[in-house]
Amino acid sequence: MTSKIVITLPLPDVVVTSLRERFDVLAWDHPEAMPEATLQTWLQGSDAILCSVGNTISAATIAGAARQLKVISTISVGVDHIAIDAATVAGIPVGYTPGVLTDSTADMALALMLACTRRIAESDRFVRAGGWQGAWSAGMLLGTDLSRSTVGLLGMGPIGQAVAKRLQGFGATVIAWNRSVKEVPGVDMVDLDALFEQSDVISLHAALTKDTQHVVSAQRLAQMKDGAILINTARGGLVDEQALVNELDSGRLYAGLDVFDREPLSLDSPLLRLENTVLTPHLGSATAATRQAMMACAIENLVAGLMGARLPCCVNPTVYENR
Ligand code: DGY
């Protein structure tokens, strides 16, 4: 019997067409996130889910579909949108896409750092609004230099390390904190207090878990230097967003944010009216080549799961232990 898969987000036609050649496909094709109730209905009698970070795959959804579901495959390296424990208990392998988006995400972190230190978005708005009327000025829109900065990296997995490598090329001083002991050439590992107190720029590269939720709390933000910059290309939930808004509102800090507590960012978010923020819509992995590699990896996981084979990139390999 042909396997039935549910695709929870719009994907390129060529991808959906090639999946339709092999499987029965139900594909969500609207820009807004698929409602969980619709997902639960579509999952009745389905063998697989192909999803991404805009979809919550809750314990209830997994429990409701567990009898037939053979694999959940996400087009992402982050898996905080999926109830992994529930999937593991139900014996369902979860596939993800590590590695292929490391460089693109590291580039995005650097892009936001430079946009903040050199006030790129603000300058663009200034020119377009007709603000550039005088002659060249020695004091207009002054920024800071990465080469003179201490940059603190919170999380030294593959993306944190790729960011460190890039920063070393810029001549920045790089310090970092990681949950487990790590030695990275040219990087001073420090505790969280030192990271927040010493950095001119802090960039977040940790996964969102119950231990890292709001790791950037009001207290941590208060430890940051006046004028320091917070960069987040990881997950919005790492930061107490209201506390960050308070600091940004006072003008004490700057931020370059690619991810938010709630996505899409609400049109009444106070972040939208703050000059000292650069905002992008969760684009860390958004290059054509990287997105292609992510989809290829996710489809390999999906097909392996449907065939009953081990997923090439599996978040919860313990599901194979008792088979
Ligand atoms: C991920 O992969 O987790 C990113 O957030 C989306 O590319």
Side-chain angles (χ1 to χ4, degrees):
M1 211 169 70
T2 312
S3 299
K4 187 173 149 198
I5 66 176
V6 173
I7 304 178
T8 63
L9 71 163
L11 292 179
D13 284 348
V14 54
V15 172
V16 179
T17 304
S18 80
L19 288 170
R20 283 196 201 283
E21 282 164 10
R22 304 172 65 184
F23 308 111
D24 279 344
V25 175
L26 279 174
W28 180 255
D29 198 19
H30 306 278
E32 63 277 9
M34 183 181 199
E36 192 168 1
T38 310
L39 175 60
Q40 290 175 351
T41 308
W42 284 21
L43 278 178
Q44 294 313 311
S46 292
D47 304 287
I49 308 177
L50 182 60
C51 61
S52 194
V53 296
N55 311 113
T56 299
I57 313 294
S58 68
T61 296
I62 291 170
R67 197 170 321 144
Q68 191 163 339
L69 202 56
K70 295 194 183 75
V71 57
I72 300 169
S73 175
T74 181
I75 308 168
S76 65
V77 67
V79 293
D80 49 284
H81 55 296
I82 302 173
I84 299 296
D85 290 348
T88 306
V89 167
I92 301 166
V94 179
Y96 71 140
T97 66
V100 293
L101 46 73
T102 300
D103 285 326
S104 301
T105 309
D107 286 352
M108 190 67 184
L110 262 293
L112 285 174
M113 281 180 210
L114 289 168
C116 289
T117 54
R118 300 305 302 272
R119 303 171 65 177
I120 302 294
E122 195 184 338
S123 300
D124 181 82
R125 290 192 289 269
F126 173 77
V127 173
R128 287 174 199 277
W132 189 23
Q133 296 298 329
W136 183 88
S137 145
M140 186 167 72
L141 286 161
L142 299 183
T144 56
D145 297 296
L146 274 183
S147 59
R148 293 187 170 88
S149 301
T150 296
V151 182
L153 306 178
L154 193 156
M156 275 306 251
I159 298 175
Q161 291 183 42
V163 172
K165 204 157 114 194
R166 283 156 175 74
L167 286 167
Q168 285 160 354
F170 276 85
T173 301
V174 186
I175 62 176
W177 173 87
N178 196 62
R179 190 170 40 98
S180 57
V181 180
K182 268 246 155 95
E183 272 188 38
V184 180
V187 178
D188 257 351
M189 299 305 291
V190 298
D191 62 25
L192 276 176
D193 286 331
L195 192 88
F196 279 84
E197 285 163 8
Q198 292 174 17
S199 300
D200 301 299
V201 179
I202 293 186
S203 191
L204 308 182
H205 302 290
L208 177 61
T209 64
K210 39 183 194 321
D211 296 332
T212 59
Q213 172 93 21
H214 286 193
V215 60
V216 185
S217 59
Q219 288 88 328
R220 290 289 178 210
L221 290 166
Q223 285 180 301
M224 289 174 71
K225 293 180 182 176
D226 287 351
I229 299 167
L230 181 74
I231 302 295
N232 192 0
T233 52
R235 283 294 181 271
L238 296 173
V239 180
D240 178 340
E241 201 168 276
Q242 187 50 54
L244 177 63
V245 165
N246 296 343
E247 289 283 8
L248 293 169
D249 225 356
S250 76
R252 206 180 72 77
L253 299 180
Y254 289 76
L257 306 173
D258 186 48
V259 287
F260 305 88
D261 226 3
R262 294 186 54 193
E263 297 180 4
L265 189 60
S266 150
L267 289 179
D268 59 12
S269 167
L271 289 168
L272 293 174
R273 60 171 167 74
L274 294 168
E275 264 302 285
N276 48 350
T277 59
V278 177
L279 308 174
T280 51
H282 204 144
L283 294 181
S285 63
T287 71
T290 293
R291 286 288 163 83
Q292 223 167 5
M294 290 167 74
M295 284 186 283
C297 177
I299 288 167
E300 269 187 55
N301 285 328
L302 180 92
V303 173
L306 286 171
M307 301 303 153
R310 216 181 163 95
L311 311 194
C313 295
C314 185
V315 180
N316 54 348
T318 54
V319 294
Y320 297 112
E321 276 168 18
N322 300 322
R323 287 192 171 182

